[in-house]
Amino acid sequence: YEKKVELGMSGSFRYVFSVRDNAGNEFTSSVYTISVDTNAPLLTETIVGSAKKITNTSIVFGGEASDGNEITITQGEQTWQTTVTDGKWVIELPLKSENSQIADGNHDFVITVTDKNNKTNQITRTVTVDTVSPTITEPSVTTIDKKYTINNVDYYGSSVIAIKAKVEDATTSIA
């Protein structure tokens, strides 16, 4: 005998089997408990957060996950994995290593948790990598009160002078 029962939700369910033959003999089984999980696992990432992160070293992601046992992070063709321990997870991604090459620029990282029933949940985090120092070119001092120059050093007769330079940064703006 087989019968399919639609439970329609997650939870713990108890059931018993009862059977009676034509002679009136009955049998009732022990109580069986089953747990049904139809929900996707919960996933948070709180180190980078939803605001864009800027870094010039490694990238650290971390947060919490429910009933998931593995976190997978993908960016382009690269993939990294870490495990969930006591509901928490953390991973540090080096910018340059044997298994990781994260170039300067904006990158979207897709973080996925997979539970034991192969249900997934994912979030995306954007990180800007900027390992190149800004440049300063064309420095100059302008004033109308220049007094004299000795050994390529300019001397001024006022304590207020105007200094200007061209400052550039290829990846992020100047702070």
Side-chain angles (χ1 to χ4, degrees):
Y1 177 79
E2 181 179 307
K3 182 176 183 176
K4 291 185 180 181
V5 177
E6 179 64 41
L7 299 174
M9 63 173 145
S10 292
S12 290
F13 300 92
R14 295 169 35 139
Y15 64 95
V16 294
F17 291 102
S18 294
V19 63
R20 181 182 319 167
D21 64 16
N22 289 333
N25 300 311
E26 291 186 28
F27 174 79
T28 302
S29 71
S30 301
V31 175
Y32 293 93
T33 302
I34 61 167
S35 295
V36 177
D37 180 9
T38 61
N39 298 321
L42 297 176
L43 174 64
T44 65
E45 193 290 318
T46 55
I47 295 177
V48 169
S50 58
K52 183 188 269 187
K53 170 103 173 146
I54 299 174
T55 187
N56 64 357
T57 57
S58 61
I59 304 169
V60 179
F61 295 103
E64 296 181 356
S66 68
D67 65 311
N69 57 357
E70 187 170 84
I71 300 287
T72 302
I73 299 173
T74 57
Q75 191 281 313
E77 298 295 317
Q78 298 182 86
T79 300
W80 302 267
Q81 292 183 321
T82 189
T83 56
V84 178
T85 304
D86 296 328
K88 300 190 183 309
W89 64 276
V90 67
I91 187 169
E92 181 175 3
L93 309 180
L95 300 183
K96 306 278 188 247
S97 73
E98 183 179 318
N99 300 322
S100 176
Q101 296 294 318
I102 304 171
D104 280 20
N106 292 322
H107 302 280
D108 288 331
F109 292 84
V110 178
I111 303 166
T112 305
V113 61
T114 304
D115 69 11
K116 292 178 174 91
N117 291 323
N118 286 326
K119 290 187 296 310
T120 62
N121 194 358
Q122 63 182 211
I123 53 179
T124 300
R125 292 294 186 249
T126 301
V127 176
T128 300
V129 174
D130 183 2
T131 61
V132 178
S133 298
T135 60
I136 298 174
T137 58
E138 303 172 21
S140 64
V141 177
T142 59
T143 184
I144 57 171
D145 198 16
K146 181 177 178 182
K147 293 294 187 185
Y148 54 90
T149 302
I150 299 176
N151 296 328
N152 292 327
V153 176
D154 293 331
Y155 293 88
Y156 299 91
S158 170
S159 62
V160 178
I161 58 175
I163 301 172
K164 77 176 184 178
K166 184 177 181 181
V167 181
E168 296 178 298
D169 188 63
T171 307
T172 59
S173 60
I174 303 298

